[in-house]
């Protein structure tokens, strides 16, 4: 008769219950960490949007000081007449003239997330000023604390 030696519990490996417990703990940790990482990435993209918008504003203002006019906006009927970063024509004159190093584009740069630029003629949109004015906009933010559309530009 053959005697098969019994293996000790330590050498048998994990039981099904132990594996289920470990997988459950990993799932709980992943469920808690993934939203935090995702939110931090969205916050980072929102901060880049604000930084880009301030750089573009400074470039547009300096262009106006130097040239006496705002860069021409290439209107896009698909976006209500706004010049948008998503279509690749966003204020190229600022880059070509050396006012910006690179073409600013939203980190996601699609139909929802984009930078916008529009130049209004003097005396339009309720402004009684004697000069044209511009508006820069961020179409959308990803985080709740920045959820409203933000615009900057010359006051009319």
């Amino acid at each position: 008769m053959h005697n098969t030696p019994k293996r000790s519990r330590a050498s048998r490996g994990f039981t099904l219950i132990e594996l289920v417990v470990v997988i459950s703990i990993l799932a709980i940790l992943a469920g808690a960490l993934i939203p935090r990482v995702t939110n931090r990435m969205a916050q980072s993209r929102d901060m880049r949007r604000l930084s880009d918008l301030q750089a573009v504003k400074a470039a547009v203002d300096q262009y106006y000081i130097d040239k006496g006019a705002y860069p021409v906006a290439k209107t896009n009927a698909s976006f209500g007449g706004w010049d948008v970063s998503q279509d690749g024509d966003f204020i190229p004159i600022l880059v070509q003239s050396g006012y910006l190093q690179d073409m600013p584009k939203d980190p996601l740069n699609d139909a929802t997330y984009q930078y916008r630029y529009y130049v209004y003629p003097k005396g339009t949109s309720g402004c009684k000023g004697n000069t044209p004015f511009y508006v820069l906009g961020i179409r959308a933010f990803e985080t709740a604390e920045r959820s409203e559309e933000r615009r900057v530009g010359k006051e009319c």
Side-chain angles (χ1 to χ4, degrees), residues 49 79 84-87 106-115 139-140:
R49 288 178 179 104
F79 296 100
V84 297
S85 60
Q86 185 246 349
D87 68 7
D106 185 274
L108 298 178
N109 207 40
D110 60 18
T112 301
Y113 299 100
Q114 60 198 232
Y115 304 146
R139 168 74 171 78

Side-chain angles (χ1 to χ4, degrees), residues 2-48:
H2 245 218
N3 262 348
T4 308
K6 290 189 175 186
R7 289 195 238 173
S8 69
R9 175 150 170 34
S11 66
R12 284 189 297 175
F14 294 108
T15 65
L16 183 57
I17 292 175
E18 291 170 331
L19 285 174
V20 168
V21 168
V22 168
I23 291 171
S24 298
I25 291 171
L26 290 175
I28 290 169
L29 287 173
L33 293 177
I34 288 174
R36 287 185 181 180
V37 170
T38 303
N39 191 43
R40 296 244 189 235
M41 291 170 56
Q43 286 175 340
S44 175
R45 287 189 297 265
D46 280 352
M47 294 308 294
R48 177 169 164 212

Side-chain angles (χ1 to χ4, degrees), residues 86-104:
Q86 185 246 349
D87 68 7
D89 289 333
F90 189 68
I91 318 175
I93 190 97
L94 294 174
V95 176
Q96 294 166 2
S97 302
Y99 292 95
L100 287 173
Q101 294 290 326
D102 298 308
M103 190 75 70

